[in-house]
Amino acid sequence: RLMVRQVIVTKTKDIDKKLRPMMISMGPCMDPNQAFLVRRGLKTLPLRIEKAQATAIKVANFLESHSKVSWVAFPGLKSHPQHELSKTIMKGPGCMMSFGIKGGIDEGRRFLNSLKLCVLAVSLGGVETLIQHPASMTHAKLSPEARSALTTLEN
């Protein structure tokens, strides 16, 4: 079961007084069961994040050394331009990465269709290992030139 929670943090009590009635009327309050599930999940969150980051480092190293991968963007890699900076501002490299498959958009689609463990989806809210192909999914309606201008590569 996926639960998305939100929080509003204000700088002053005046802003809070203005926003609080709207927040209450829109119903962002959890029912007791949701609160229990969130609290239970938070107890193991540090352990799960630690494991996910360790796994992400292994995956990124594997991809970086693979002959069919043209590039990997992941701050946990020493080759990443902000690797040293990321070590000073983050407790870990995170769990998200980008990489390119040699061969362009068609090879990218073939790669995605061959995966068995990743879910082909665009989301940040679940616990599944997700993968997406911006050129054929979120940015599919853009021309190759427009995607290139957004630094969304074909691969």
Side-chain angles (χ1 to χ4, degrees):
R1 180 173 168 178
L2 174 66
M3 287 181 285
V4 177
R5 296 290 109 208
Q6 54 190 338
V7 64
I8 298 174
V9 179
T10 61
K11 189 173 185 178
T12 67
K13 289 189 178 203
D14 290 337
I15 296 172
D16 182 64
K17 285 180 185 177
K18 290 178 184 176
L19 293 176
R20 189 159 177 74
M22 181 174 47
M23 181 184 75
I24 290 171
S25 68
M26 294 180 135
C29 301
M30 290 184 254
D31 65 56
N33 188 56
Q34 285 181 325
F36 164 76
L37 292 171
V38 168
R39 186 167 185 240
R40 183 181 69 176
L42 287 173
K43 290 178 181 179
T44 60
L45 182 62
L47 295 172
R48 291 183 283 127
I49 294 296
E50 185 179 312
K51 180 65 174 173
Q53 289 184 132
T55 302
I57 291 169
K58 291 177 184 177
V59 170
N61 283 319
F62 171 80
L63 290 170
E64 190 173 50
S65 67
H66 199 285
S67 63
K68 292 185 179 181
V69 174
S70 56
W71 56 271
V72 180
F74 179 67
L77 291 173
K78 291 180 181 174
S79 61
H80 191 276
Q82 286 86 35
H83 175 71
E84 290 302 319
L85 175 63
S86 74
K87 291 190 325 187
T88 66
I89 61 175
M90 300 188 314
K91 292 183 178 180
C95 308
M96 291 178 51
M97 69 188 72
S98 299
F99 62 96
I101 300 290
K102 293 177 183 175
I105 194 167
D106 292 331
E107 192 61 24
R109 285 185 181 130
R110 190 198 65 68
F111 169 76
L112 290 173
N113 291 333
S114 71
L115 294 174
K116 303 282 189 255
L117 297 176
C118 301
V119 176
L120 184 60
V122 180
S123 173
L124 299 175
V127 297
E128 300 82 11
T129 298
L130 303 179
I131 192 163
Q132 70 134 331
H133 187 238
S136 64
M137 294 172 70
T138 56
H139 296 73
K141 294 187 180 200
L142 298 177
S143 68
E145 296 79 22
R147 285 193 298 268
S148 181
L150 294 172
T151 67
T152 302
L153 304 176
E154 295 291 307
N155 58 354

